[in-house]
Each structure stands twice: as structure tokens, then as C-alpha cells.
């Protein structure tokens, strides 16, 4: 009889030990999930059109210095202008340029012109767009960067409108607010996006973005 009691005790001990081990595993997993929850953003599904604008996803290879492949948390949308008034300097031309490594380490996520959008780097990865190194939170580490084309043979009004549509789409996709839309200037003082800044149209850009955001929410 005594032996049986001891063996029952032994079983109980093992069950308790297993439950305790399971609890420890659950707690540790919970702590890891809690600690990493803020650190990376999950990429939105790939699309071929955003609010009626064709989107071409032509990612630059990870072997180029402009695509370091660093996963991060998206906190901002950063607005730029290409500063290139040359004829033909549209979104496709900038895509080709990036693919050929033309900008060295400088890179960005999207180029928008008056009729289409090119996507160069996954939203969940860092691009070297804002000139603020690895500062956190910062334009490089936490921004999705959008370059608006200013080619002289393009219709900037349409580009402006397309840029606002893409911005609204990304705000919605990543649960961001209108306050999270920034200028390149906010991160390193560069006069970019230049024509929007110099023509005093930043608030207009935000208002337009807000309008598209509200339309989407209806
Ligand atoms: Zn810029």
C-alpha cells in the first residue's frame, strides 16, 4: 500500500512540474510577444491599383545599398519631391534609376507622377530617404517615403492629387493619423518638398489627404 501512495505522489509531482513548465513557457512567450509588438510592421497586401492609380511594384534588389533590408515599425509618411524638372523624369524613370543603383545609398519607397505609382522598397523595410541616419523615431527608420515627380512635361496638379491619394491609402493601411504625415524638412531641415513648401501648399496637401481618408472610411 505504501508503495502505491508514493507512486501516486510521484505522478502528482510530475503533473505539477509539467503544468509549471507550461506556465513558464506561456509567460516567456507572452513577454517576448509584448516586447516585440511595437518593433516591426507587417507589410500590407500587394495591390495593382490605389484609388484608381496603377501601381507597379518593382522592388530594388537587397544587394543594393539603398535597400538595407532592415525591418522596422512604420510611424510616418514622409513627403518629398524629386527636384528633377527634366523632361521624362517621371515615376518609371526614377524606378529604372533606382534599379541601376543610380542613387547609391539614397533610396525611397514610392515615386508618384501624374499617371502612375512605382513601389521600390517594401513598406516594412527602412529606406535611406530623410538624411537623419538611424535616429529613432525618425524619417529613415520609421517613415514610408513618397517622392512626387516635378518633371516639366508632367502635370504637377495631378501628381499632387495622386500623392494625396497614396498618402491616404497608406495612413489607412497602417492605422496612422493625418498628424503622422511629415515633410522631409521635418527630419533634417532640407527644403523638401520644395515646390509645395515654397508655394505654401502643405496644408492643402494635408486637407486633400484627409478628404481621401474620410471617403475611404465611409
Ligand atoms: Zn526629400
Amino acid at each position: 500500500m505504501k508503495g502505491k501512495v508514493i507512486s501516486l505522489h510521484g505522478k502528482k509531482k510530475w503533473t505539477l512540474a509539467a503544468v509549471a513548465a507550461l506556465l513558464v513557457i506561456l509567460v516567456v512567450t507572452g513577454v517576448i510577444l509584448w516586447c516585440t509588438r511595437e518593433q516591426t510592421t507587417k507589410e500590407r497586401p500587394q495591390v495593382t491599383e490605389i484609388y484608381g492609380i496603377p501601381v507597379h511594384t518593382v522592388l530594388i534588389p537587397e544587394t543594393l545599398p539603398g535597400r538595407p533590408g532592415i525591418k522596422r515599425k512604420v510611424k510616418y509618411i514622409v513627403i518629398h519631391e524629386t527636384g528633377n524638372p527634366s523632361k521624362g523624369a517621371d515615376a518609371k524613370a526614377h524606378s529604372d534609376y533606382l534599379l541601376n543603383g543610380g542613387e547609391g545609398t539614397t533610396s525611397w519607397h514610392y515615386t508618384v507622377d501624374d499617371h502612375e505609382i512605382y513601389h521600390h522598397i517594401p513598406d516594412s523595410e527602412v529606406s535611406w530617404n530623410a538624411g537623419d541616419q538611424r535616429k529613432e523615431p525618425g524619417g529613415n527608420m520609421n517613415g514610408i517615403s513618397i517622392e512626387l515627380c516635378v518633371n516639366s512635361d508632367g502635370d504637377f496638379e495631378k501628381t499632387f492629387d495622386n500623392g494625396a491619394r497614396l498618402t491616404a491609402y497608406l495612413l489607412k493601411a497602417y492605422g496612422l493619423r493625418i498628424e503622422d504625415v511629415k515633410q522631409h524638412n521635418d527630419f533634417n531641415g532640407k527644403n523638401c518638398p520644395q515646390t509645395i513648401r515654397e508655394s505654401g501648399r502643405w496644408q492643402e496637401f494635408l486637407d486633400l489627404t484627409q478628404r481621401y481618408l474620410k471617403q475611404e472610411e465611409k
Side-chain angles (χ1 to χ4, degrees), residues 15-31:
T15 311
L16 273 175
V19 168
L22 199 65
L23 274 175
V24 168
I25 289 167
L26 281 175
V27 168
V28 168
T29 310
V31 168

Side-chain angles (χ1 to χ4, degrees), residues 200-217:
R201 298 182 70 188
W202 180 244
Q203 191 55 48
E204 187 191 336
F205 184 82
L206 294 179
D207 291 345
L208 191 58
T209 300
Q210 184 86 287
R211 236 172 61 203
Y212 285 123
L213 196 59
K214 285 196 174 137
Q215 271 180 23
E216 171 69 7
E217 278 162 3

Side-chain angles (χ1 to χ4, degrees), residues 78-82 129-130 147 184-185 190-193:
V78 188
I79 307 300
H80 300 256
E81 284 171 21
T82 61
N129 72 94
E147 288 278 358
H184 180 179
N185 174 267
K190 188 177 171 182
N191 186 19
C192 180

Side-chain angles (χ1 to χ4, degrees), residues 130-168:
D132 62 348
Q133 287 82 40
R134 289 171 185 253
K135 190 169 170 277
E136 290 234 37
N140 280 342
M141 296 308 282
N142 307 105
I144 297 178
S145 40
I146 300 176
E147 288 278 358
L148 304 178
C149 289
V150 293
N151 48 314
S152 57
D153 56 345
D155 176 357
F156 186 72
E157 291 312 305
K158 195 77 189 77
T159 302
F160 186 91
D161 187 72
N162 288 348
R165 287 174 197 240
L166 173 60
T167 303

Side-chain angles (χ1 to χ4, degrees), residues 162-183:
N162 288 348
R165 287 174 197 240
L166 173 60
T167 303
Y169 180 86
L170 293 170
L171 288 178
K172 179 89 185 353
Y174 294 109
L176 301 174
R177 307 155 306 157
I178 195 73
E179 293 78 19
D180 304 319
V181 182
K182 304 287 185 191
Q183 303 180 18

Side-chain angles (χ1 to χ4, degrees), residues 48-68:
T48 54
E49 189 194 295
I50 286 175
Y51 296 143
I53 317 160
V55 179
H56 306 278
T57 303
V58 185
L59 301 179
I60 64 172
E62 283 190 66
T63 46
L64 288 178
R67 188 176 166 197

